[in-house]
């Protein structure tokens, strides 16, 4: 058995794994108080808004995969749409060729809050106050911030002090950023939740009515009014200029989170469930479809080469075909995941590293890339002017939390997210990847204590693409939680932060579990998380400024030297990163034969934890 940093936790009562220990323990407290997995997930998610504000916020977004005991797996979409005024013509008229990476022009309709409310209403058992009390407590009375919050605030200090002064009031109290070992408070956020609860309870009766009232306060009450005022304030963004946004009261009132069926793929007795092509999720499924019947030895150079080259093909198809377009004709998902299509694509994987962006033509269609991506494909090594040469996810040895996003002085961010998995004693399971609305995305809304998001930066300012900026459509997101079934029964929930890296790291994790499965009678979740991981940037990044590094592979230094040398011999541009710098995975599992539960969390950055009994 491979060395691991921690045991894979096992028990029968309940398990939680998340990217922050306070969120994990808060969710576990809800389970201990008689709540189910969905109650626990909501409580943990709102704590993540407080303790990882550089990675997510209430006005961000979240895709949620849920597997009710004895029920069907569903996707709960908490990704808001582009406002009615967010047209390509409007942004082009402002002299822009990319949606800015920060500021109100990048704000979609906030989606996370409504999704969590629907999950609690439809699948939970607790009252709203019961699950919000943990987040309110940490916001009002304080929590010890992680080092990365301090580093992020220091990076954008000048922007906060000179332009985003409402953010300085929260994150630079007395001119000092939050510091580890000292309690950090966000009283404005605590006051927002208290007021929302008070208004919801005063106008409602039973549990579900209270939740519905809270949704209305968010969409049409004081929260919505504050969002509209903020969007109308001229705000400096990554373009270097000040812009107002397009978000209106009608946009907020007219949108709701919604349920849909997952996209699935069967592989070696497993069924993997993901969100649809408005997310990055099908990339993981296509990577599985591209695998040959016999795999090279796990962890070998042949193995890494095969997975990296398959990822390049799947990501090229993502660039050409994925988006929130109208119908299967626009996103040919069945063809993209078909055996015949991927058998032909598999023939493109040779012995040498590819430096090309090679989308396919599913069903005989002609692929079309954005002009930005097409230039990258022609030039091969991307755009130096767009910051290429820097990995999408920060790998600086100075970074206290490897795998978290690089943040620029103007707030531009690449690869930024949290993750949360829960399984309870009844067999309910949930996997969620909250993101967006982070402290460096937009100024803090003064009346609320948190900022708007920036997910529209993932759309293209070019008409006719599946992921063109289009009013009423969801921007294609990188957020991609996972659920895996055996013989039709949910057995594992997993995911990771990391932007474009998410489905790269998750593929290696999933294969590590599937190929090396057992430890002490259960799945070796911790061993699969701890295993040396990698990523490549051989495709346009999803975050502003949308750069790429053709032929690149970044590996952890724990990767055997002979594997690194062989990858270089094959033409890969290999960067050897820190020993624990790739991936921030979490996972929970349930053995349906015995009812045994298990959980594990990423040790990288000493922040994520699993708890359970």
């Amino acid at each position: 058995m491979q060395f691991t940093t921690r045991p894979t936790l096992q028990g029968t009562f309940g398990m939680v794994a998340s990217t922050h220990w306070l969120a994990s323990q808060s969710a576990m407290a809800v389970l201990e108080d008689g709540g189910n997995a969905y109650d626990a997930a909501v409580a943990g998610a709102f704590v993540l808004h407080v303790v990882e504000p550089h990675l997510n916020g209430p006005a961000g977004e979240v895709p949620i995969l849920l597997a009710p005991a004895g029920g069907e797996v569903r996707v709960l979409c908490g990704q808001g749409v582009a406002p009615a005024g967010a047209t390509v013509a409007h942004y082009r008229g402002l002299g822009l060729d990319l949606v800015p990476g920060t500021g109100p022009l990048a704000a979609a309709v906030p989606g996370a809050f409504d999704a969590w409310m629907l999950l609690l209403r439809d699948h939970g058992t607790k009252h709203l106050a019961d699950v919000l009390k943990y987040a309110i407590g940490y916001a009002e009375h304080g929590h010890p911030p992680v080092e990365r919050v301090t580093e992020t605030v220091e990076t954008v200090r000048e922007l906060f002090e000179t332009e985003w002064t409402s953010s300085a009031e929260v994150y630079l109290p007395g001119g000092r950023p939050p510091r580890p070992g000292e309690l950090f408070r966000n009283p404005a956020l605590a006051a927002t939740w208290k007021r929302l609860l008070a208004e919801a309870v005063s106008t409602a009766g039973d549990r579900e009515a209270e939740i519905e009232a809270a949704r209305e306060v968010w969409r049409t009450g004081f929260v919505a009014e504050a969002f509209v005022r903020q969007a109308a304030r001229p705000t400096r963004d990554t373009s270097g200029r000040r812009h107002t946004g397009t978000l209106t009261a009608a946009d907020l009132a007219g949108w709701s989170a919604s349920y849909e069926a997952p996209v699935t793929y069967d592989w070696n007795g497993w069924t993997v469930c993901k969100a649809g092509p408005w997310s990055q999720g099908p990339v993981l499924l296509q990577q599985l479809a591209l695998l040959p019947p016999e795999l090279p030895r796990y962890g070998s150079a042949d193995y890494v080469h095969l997975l990296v080259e398959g990822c390049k093909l799947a990501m090229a198809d993502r660039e050409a075909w994925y988006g929130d377009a109208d119908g299967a004709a626009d996103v040919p998902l069945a063809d993209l995941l078909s055996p015949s299509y991927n058998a032909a694509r598999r023939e493109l994987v040779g012995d040498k590293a590819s430096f090309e962006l090679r989308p396919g033509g599913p069903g005989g269609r002609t692929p079309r890339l954005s002009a930005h991506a097409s230039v990258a494909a022609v030039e091969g090594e991307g755009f130096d002017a767009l910051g290429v040469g820097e990995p999408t996810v920060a790998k600086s040895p100075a970074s206290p939390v490897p795998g978290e996003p690089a943040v620029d002085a103007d707030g531009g961010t690449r690869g930024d997210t949290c993750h949360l998995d829960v399984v309870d004693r009844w067999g309910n399971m949930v996997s969620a990847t909250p993101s967006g609305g982070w402290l460096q995305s937009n100024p803090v809304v003064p009346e609320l204590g948190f900022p708007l998001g920036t997910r529209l930066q993932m759309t293209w300012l070019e008409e006719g693409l599946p992921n063109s900026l289009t009013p009423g459509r969801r921007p294609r997101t990188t957020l991609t939680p996972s659920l895996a079934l055996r013989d039709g029964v949910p057995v594992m929930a997993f995911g990771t932060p990391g932007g474009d890296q998410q489905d790269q790291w998750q593929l290696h994790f999933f294969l590590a579990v599937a190929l090396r499965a057992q430890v002490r009678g259960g799945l070796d979740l911790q061993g699969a998380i701890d295993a040396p991981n990698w990523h490549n940037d051989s495709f346009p990044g999803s975050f502003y400024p949308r750069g790429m590094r053709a032929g690149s592979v970044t590996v952890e230094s724990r990767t055997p030297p002979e594997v690194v040398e062989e990858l270089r011999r094959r033409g890969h541009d290999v960067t050897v990163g820190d020993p624990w710098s790739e991936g921030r995975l979490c996972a929970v599992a349930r053995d349906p034969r015995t009812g045994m539960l298990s959980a594990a969390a990423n040790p990288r950055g000493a922040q994520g934890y699993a708890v359970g009994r």
Side-chain angles (χ1 to χ4, degrees):
M1 183 175 65
Q2 180 185 354
F3 167 77
T4 60
T5 57
R6 309 167 180 173
T8 295
L9 303 186
Q10 292 187 308
T12 57
F13 180 81
M15 293 282 164
V16 182
S18 87
T19 48
H20 197 287
W21 67 89
L22 290 179
S24 296
Q25 188 52 47
S26 297
M28 191 67 198
V30 173
L31 294 180
E32 297 282 4
D33 193 41
N36 65 18
Y38 309 112
D39 299 312
V42 175
F46 278 88
V47 171
L48 285 173
H49 296 159
V50 179
V51 299
E52 291 194 317
H54 60 308
L55 300 173
N56 80 137
E61 46 275 326
V62 59
I64 305 169
L65 269 66
L66 57 145
E72 296 292 323
V73 175
R74 299 291 287 169
V75 175
L76 177 49
C77 174
Q79 174 58 66
V81 298
T87 64
V88 170
H90 175 63
Y91 286 59
R92 287 287 189 179
L94 296 172
L96 299 169
D97 58 2
L98 291 174
V99 177
T102 61
L105 276 177
V109 175
F113 179 86
D114 199 58
W116 291 118
M117 291 302 99
L118 282 188
L119 184 67
L120 184 65
R121 184 196 71 183
D122 298 339
H123 299 278
T125 65
K126 293 288 189 180
H127 283 265
L128 183 54
D130 295 330
V131 296
L132 277 182
K133 65 182 181 182
Y134 305 93
I136 292 173
Y138 286 125
E140 184 172 25
H141 304 298
H143 68 279
V146 295
E147 292 180 4
R148 184 60 172 165
V149 173
T150 305
E151 183 180 276
T152 301
V153 174
E154 284 288 8
T155 301
V156 294
R157 173 191 281 272
E158 182 180 356
L159 177 68
F160 281 12
E161 290 177 336
T162 60
E163 297 278 348
W164 297 8
T165 54
S166 60
S167 297
E169 291 177 9
V170 173
Y171 290 104
L172 288 167
R176 297 178 59 205
R179 295 188 179 184
E182 300 178 2
L183 290 177
F184 172 68
R185 298 172 176 84
N186 188 343
L189 176 58
T192 294
W193 296 144
K194 285 183 171 182
R195 180 177 173 184
L196 181 140
L197 282 172
E199 294 190 13
V201 171
S202 69
T203 60
D206 60 12
R207 189 187 76 88
E208 292 187 10
E210 288 178 4
I211 295 170
E212 281 300 297
R215 295 178 70 205
E216 284 305 304
V217 171
W218 178 272
R219 298 192 306 191
T220 65
F222 79 93
V223 177
E225 292 168 357
F227 285 154
V228 173
R229 286 193 295 271
Q230 184 62 42
R233 294 183 177 113
T235 301
R236 180 181 163 189
D237 56 38
T238 52
S239 72
R241 291 176 284 151
R242 296 182 182 88
H243 293 110
T244 57
T246 60
L247 191 65
T248 68
D251 295 319
L252 292 160
W255 182 84
S256 172
S258 58
Y259 294 96
E260 58 190 57
V263 180
T264 64
Y265 187 80
D266 294 332
W267 184 84
N268 280 17
W270 294 79
T271 300
V272 182
C273 304
K274 302 290 280 188
W278 54 268
S279 80
Q280 185 175 261
V283 163
L284 177 61
L285 307 184
Q286 190 176 355
Q287 287 178 97
L288 290 172
L290 284 163
L291 295 175
E294 297 294 327
L295 294 181
R297 179 175 55 84
Y298 173 86
S300 65
D302 287 342
Y303 180 84
V304 177
H305 173 78
L306 177 70
L307 267 58
V308 168
E309 293 303 299
C311 174
K312 293 175 185 178
L313 294 174
M315 286 295 195
D317 280 343
R318 182 194 76 169
E319 288 305 304
W321 301 107
Y322 284 26
D324 190 19
D326 291 332
D330 289 326
V331 184
L333 201 54
D335 288 325
L336 286 168
L337 298 178
S338 68
S340 59
Y341 177 74
N342 286 289
R345 296 284 276 161
R346 193 180 304 129
E347 294 299 315
L348 297 176
V349 177
D351 291 334
K352 295 292 186 179
S354 170
F355 280 66
E356 298 178 78
L357 190 64
R358 298 179 290 179
R365 300 167 180 84
T366 300
R368 178 186 164 195
L369 295 170
S370 70
H372 183 95
S374 298
V375 172
V378 170
E379 295 191 359
E381 297 190 6
F383 314 79
D384 290 339
L386 295 181
V388 177
E390 179 181 17
T392 304
V393 173
K395 292 294 178 292
S396 166
S399 175
V401 185
E404 285 198 0
V407 178
D408 301 325
D410 61 6
T413 304
R414 291 171 295 286
D416 32 56
T417 307
C418 309
H419 189 77
L420 174 71
D421 299 306
V422 188
V423 61
D424 63 29
R425 62 189 183 274
W426 300 289
N428 299 302
M429 191 175 292
V430 60
S431 179
T433 309
S435 186
W438 45 81
L439 67 88
Q440 64 275 19
S441 64
N442 258 301
V444 165
V445 182
E447 305 93 324
L448 303 179
F450 59 87
L452 288 165
T454 55
R455 194 60 56 173
L456 293 186
Q457 68 179 287
M458 297 185 166
T459 61
W460 296 113
L461 296 182
E462 183 178 347
E463 300 284 6
L465 297 166
N467 193 33
S468 298
L469 178 65
T470 307
R473 287 188 181 177
R474 294 167 288 189
R476 190 205 73 214
T477 177
T478 54
L479 308 176
T480 172
S482 301
L483 274 167
L485 290 66
R486 294 282 286 181
D487 301 319
V489 179
V491 297
M492 185 167 65
F494 60 99
T496 179
D500 295 304
Q501 280 66 60
Q502 291 182 33
D503 282 315
Q504 302 186 56
W505 293 334
Q506 288 186 68
L507 175 69
H508 184 210
F509 164 81
F510 173 74
L511 292 177
V513 169
L515 298 174
R516 304 168 56 238
Q518 298 296 318
V519 56
R520 293 198 308 275
L523 298 177
D524 185 11
L525 303 181
Q526 194 65 52
I529 288 173
D530 289 353
N533 217 320
W534 61 83
H535 83 273
N536 84 92
D537 296 299
S538 298
F539 47 87
S542 295
F543 293 87
Y544 181 92
R546 314 301 295 269
M548 66 177 280
R549 291 196 306 156
S552 68
V553 179
T554 302
V555 303
E556 292 181 324
S557 63
R558 294 180 295 130
T559 304
E562 62 273 18
V563 172
V564 174
E565 182 58 32
E566 176 60 17
L567 290 173
R568 285 174 171 157
R569 190 191 69 78
R570 293 179 180 221
H572 295 279
D573 180 9
V574 180
T575 298
V576 178
D578 291 344
W580 296 90
S581 56
E582 291 287 324
R584 295 177 64 211
L585 285 142
C586 304
V588 300
R590 180 179 183 270
D591 187 334
R593 300 166 301 170
T594 64
M596 184 70 74
L597 311 178
S598 55
N602 172 53
R604 297 163 177 87
Q607 185 173 322
Y609 274 89
V611 296
R613 67 174 179 87

